[in-house]
Amino acid sequence: MIEAQGLTKVYGDKTAVGGVDFTVQAGRVTGFLGPNGAGKSTTMRMIMGLDRPTAGTVTVNGVPFARHVAPLREIGALLDAKAVHTSRSAYNHLLAMAATHSIPKKRVHEVIEMTGLADVARKKVKGFSLGMGQRLGIAAALLGDPQTIILDEPVNGLDPEGVVWVRNLVKFLASEGRTVFLSSHLMSEMALTADHLIVIGRGKIIADAPIKDIITGKGQTRTRVRTDQPDQLMNVLAGTGVSVEVQDHELLEVKGLDPRQIARAALDSRVMIYELTPLQASLEEAYMELTKDEVEYHSLITTGVPVPVQSGGN
Amino acid sequence: MSTSTVAQPGPRSAGPAHSSNARTASPGPGPSFFRVLNSEFIKFRTLLSTLILLAATAVVMVGFGALSAWGTGQFADAAGSDPQAAEALAAQGGDLAVTVPTSGIAFAQLILGSLGVLLMSSEFTTGMARSTFAAVPKRIPAFVAKLAVVMVSAFILTAVSTYVAGLVAVPILDNYGLKLDLASSQSIKLLLVNSAYVAAVAAIGMALGTLVRNSAGGIMSLVGLFFVAPIAFQLIPGDFFVEARKYLPGNTLTPLTAVEHVPDTLEVWQAGLVLGAWVVVPLALATILLKIRDV
């Protein structure tokens, strides 16, 4: 379990993380989502004791990271794909890390096998692709068989097979009762992997809830309706808190009413409808809605709608 | 093992299989100093660039020993006919041969001092520091372990290559009728003092690498301190610089190794203290900053 209380990091006059409180529970995958510069990596570095908080505390299993007797056996972290001296081989890197905790060579070979690095383990990390670097970082995180695993952007640069592997790995680790905390800006990936989400923007926690609640929570339910009498149906449905958008000749999108209410209104007014589909907001939409005021860097697309740079096409 | 195994005969208890939920308070051994030392030694020996610098030091020490033996022989030959050379020879206590094995020391200190800088600065430039200090979050043990590895390696390498340089120099000097006794007390003193001095320079390099966190900047600082400052201090007029020059770390070696006191240098005990301060102060500063700065 990771607990942050009033965790703050200020660089000069810029507040990277502004007094955040959150708890990452064991036994589930907690996603850490936020735009670029929102403070995700800074928060993770503070958890690992690499950056000193300006104020507040963060503990892992009740104890600040640095006070653990055997830190690598408590928490494993992938903070940066290449937190490695690139002139050293992957095997020697892991061996040196393992030596600090008397982790046997057998375990070094195990994590190399587990992460699919066996063919390149004796090669210098310099020649590694980003994906192989990620695998090495994950291998290092798993070295001490830790109860808590922190992964910063673990699927960055991985091929599709690697992405699926990471997804299954973190789910498996969580199913074993471990605490898994991973950041990503790939929302589709997050939707598939995480059970719980902590959304951060401009150094503040915007949302901290199960992923299902985030998806259904803020955005209103929308329903797609097809009818041969769109004008008549629009009149019937009109009311406070209801918005109807004509999307095509006979296609409407209704917000503010659920499908049952729409069907009842249509039946009462004898308007035939031939499609009634509840639409679920994607995580992406929910996230945009949540963070629209919080993104650090906006880019404008042609319609003038602000979108975050990282997911925008511009 | 367990109290609930009454019904089960035999020594092997039916305790629960390993479950990550049922962890004990102590999950296993943590970073003791000797484990961290072992880790730092693995890091030291698994970098090709480190091994190349070590080999270069040995080659330079032995090569300069041989060259210097030849040059000293020529000089001694000339001293027989040239009164000026004879005078210079006399000023050195008549024994030039004894300093031959350590004649490459200026280069050894440059290479191993730079190695000290690099081993620390590369931790930061490559991002390795994040791995190192995640494994050893108290940080100081990792720094001290690396310091120990660097200083001991620098000492041993300098001592061994000085001795080998001596072995190479003996037959060359012999050609010119000069005797070099590697077992003489002055030979042993030179070997030990020079080796300790190079270890001290490597330590200063490590401190600079930690403070600057940048390879080029660290090496430039080291070169500035050991090679530029002595020349600059000599060029700047004024008594202050004449006096200050004695206190530069590179100028403590002469008084520490001389048979008789050399003018314009510190006394032996002063030189020892000054060199010690040059090692201890930057290291203390580096240690404090390493502990409080973000990685």
Side-chain angles (χ1 to χ4, degrees), chain A residues 8-12 16 42 45-46 48-54, chain B residues 124 129-130 133 139 210 213 288-295:
Chain A
T8 305
K9 183 71 187 182
V10 179
Y11 295 107
T42 307
R45 282 201 305 273
M46 285 194 283
M48 294 302 291
L50 295 173
D51 283 14
R52 187 177 290 258
T54 312
Chain B
F124 294 100
R130 282 190 285 276
F133 298 129
R139 301 186 190 176
T210 313
R213 293 189 171 193
I288 294 166
L289 286 178
L290 184 70
K291 184 83 182 172
I292 60 175
R293 277 160 92 181
D294 291 343
V295 176

Side-chain angles (χ1 to χ4, degrees), chain A residues 11-56:
Chain A
Y11 295 107
D13 56 356
K14 193 170 156 38
T15 303
V17 179
V20 300
D21 299 283
F22 62 84
T23 302
V24 182
Q25 299 285 0
R28 67 187 186 194
V29 178
T30 302
F32 198 27
L33 197 58
N36 288 344
K40 298 190 295 290
S41 297
T42 307
T43 303
M44 287 183 156
R45 282 201 305 273
M46 285 194 283
I47 297 171
M48 294 302 291
L50 295 173
D51 283 14
R52 187 177 290 258
T54 312

Side-chain angles (χ1 to χ4, degrees), chain A residues 109-122:
Chain A
H109 289 292
E110 249 171 51
V111 295
I112 286 173
E113 287 294 332
M114 207 187 289
T115 51
L117 286 173
D119 291 343
V120 293
R122 299 281 178 175

Side-chain angles (χ1 to χ4, degrees), chain A residues 172-188:
Chain A
F172 173 70
L173 292 169
S175 75
E176 288 185 312
R178 297 178 209 249
T179 307
V180 181
F181 191 36
L182 84 158
S183 78
S184 178
H185 64 269
L186 297 174
M187 279 161 290
S188 50

Side-chain angles (χ1 to χ4, degrees), chain A residues 120-183:
Chain A
V120 293
R122 299 281 178 175
K123 294 199 171 115
K124 282 186 183 179
V125 178
K126 204 172 278 175
F128 279 24
S129 66
L130 184 55
M132 287 195 284
Q134 292 284 15
R135 286 170 183 270
L136 176 57
I138 294 170
L142 296 177
L143 203 53
D145 193 20
Q147 178 66 13
T148 304
I149 293 120
I150 296 171
L151 305 171
D152 195 3
E153 303 277 0
V155 299
N156 234 3
L158 284 182
D159 51 19
E161 185 252 323
V163 172
V164 174
W165 171 70
V166 169
R167 190 186 302 155
N168 292 334
L169 176 73
V170 295
K171 285 184 170 180
F172 173 70
L173 292 169
S175 75
E176 288 185 312
R178 297 178 209 249
T179 307
V180 181
F181 191 36
L182 84 158
S183 78

Side-chain angles (χ1 to χ4, degrees), chain A residues 39 283 293:
Chain A
L283 177 59
D293 303 322

Side-chain angles (χ1 to χ4, degrees), chain A residues 77-97:
Chain A
L78 160 76
L79 291 181
D80 198 316
K82 286 185 173 174
V84 181
H85 197 304
T86 46
S87 300
R88 203 173 274 126
S89 73
Y91 173 76
N92 284 329
H93 171 71
L94 293 171
L95 192 66
M97 299 278 295

